[in-house]
Amino acid sequence: MRPKDTFATCTPAVETCVVLDRWLPASLSVVAGMVDVAGYMSLGHVFTAHITGNLVVIAADFVSHTPINPVQVIAIPVFVLAVAAVWMLASAWGKDRANLLTLLLTLHFALLAAVLLCAVSTHSFSSPDDFTSGLTAMIAISAMACQFALPRLALPETPSTAVMTGNLTNAMLALLDLLAAKPITAAVRSKLLDSIYLIAGFIIGCLVAAAALPLLGDWIWSLPTVLAAATTITIANLRPPGYEHDVQRQSPL
């Protein structure tokens, strides 16, 4: 959801608001689902879009005296550094916030394209424990770090597109309000729909990647890459009236 007055001038272009509010987050959720499944199944069981999963596995392996996957350990500082790098890039962008969303989406796509190139050229799917597979995983984690930072930097108040726990909580609370016959405000209804789109998108991404991986192998990374490219092109060519003014006013940087 966008803040109350964000893109307030886009009333004449409702379809643009729908794209920014619903289609863009849902599309990124599909990407996150694909990346998480593809990374876990083809890159040595490393969570690329769910860093908490790596922490859980590391802790469990440590307590059970099981050898710890070094790639899972390295994934955590790489994610932190990637988020910091995205923040610095956004800060260096200065006062020109009009194109920040497109810039970050382009970076997101470029990193996923690099994952695809690295995976295909090194055959990481057939050798998930090699150094090159670890490198591929680090690039994928950097791409997802960019996706995590993107809403915070370019679309304040937009729910997470990669972590579904909060979205599932929002959906359940809104649904309970509906079942309790409480007065349903537009904000509650919007929160429910937003959460449903995000959860559905993530699940679809997971299912598609899991089904396609045996068929595509390393080319599985072409799916999130193509979707990220389509998303970037769509947003680059679609802006509501007053977008430049509102982004400059609303950006947290």
Side-chain angles (χ1 to χ4, degrees):
M1 294 184 299
R2 61 181 183 276
K4 183 178 179 180
D5 58 347
T6 303
F7 305 132
T9 57
C10 67
T11 302
V14 176
E15 69 281 0
T16 299
C17 297
V18 171
V19 168
L20 290 171
D21 281 353
R22 295 271 163 76
W23 183 85
L24 174 58
S27 175
L28 291 176
S29 289
V30 176
V31 170
M34 290 179 175
V35 169
D36 220 13
V37 170
Y40 184 80
M41 295 180 67
S42 70
L43 298 177
H45 295 164
V46 176
F47 291 98
T48 50
H50 187 55
I51 299 302
T52 307
N54 293 317
L55 287 170
V56 171
V57 174
I58 291 170
D61 288 344
F62 177 78
V63 172
S64 63
H65 303 289
T66 302
I68 296 175
N69 185 348
V71 177
Q72 291 177 328
V73 176
I74 297 172
I76 299 169
V78 166
F79 181 85
V80 172
L81 292 173
V83 170
V86 173
W87 181 86
M88 287 188 289
L89 176 63
S91 298
W93 201 245
K95 296 182 179 180
D96 180 14
R97 305 299 178 192
N99 296 312
L100 179 59
L101 178 58
T102 302
L103 171 68
L104 296 182
L105 285 172
T106 302
L107 174 61
H108 178 242
F109 157 70
L111 288 169
L112 287 175
V115 175
L116 172 61
L117 178 62
C118 190
V120 172
S121 61
T122 62
H123 306 289
S124 60
F125 182 55
S126 59
S127 52
D129 297 323
D130 285 357
F131 169 80
T132 53
S133 294
L135 177 61
T136 303
M138 294 306 107
I139 301 173
I141 288 168
S142 298
M144 296 315 299
C146 179
Q147 180 168 326
F148 269 97
L150 188 153
R152 170 67 176 83
L153 297 172
L155 291 174
E157 303 301 323
T158 298
S160 172
T161 59
V163 177
M164 294 299 112
T165 305
N167 296 323
L168 186 58
T169 301
N170 289 335
M172 192 62 196
L173 292 175
L175 181 59
L176 289 173
D177 284 340
L178 286 172
L179 295 176
K182 291 184 177 181
I184 303 303
T185 64
V188 172
R189 186 179 295 107
S190 178
K191 180 181 291 187
L192 177 59
L193 290 176
D194 288 344
S195 300
I196 290 174
Y197 279 118
L198 290 167
I199 295 169
F202 188 83
I203 293 174
I204 290 171
C206 291
L207 293 174
V208 169
L213 184 59
L215 301 175
L216 298 179
D218 293 314
W219 285 97
I220 187 66
W221 295 101
S222 64
L223 299 182
T225 301
V226 169
L227 182 54
T231 301
T232 302
I233 294 171
T234 299
I235 296 302
N237 291 281
L238 185 66
R239 292 194 187 128
Y243 176 85
E244 289 79 3
H245 170 72
D246 286 327
V247 170
Q248 290 177 4
R249 177 161 49 85
Q250 291 294 331
S251 177
L253 292 179

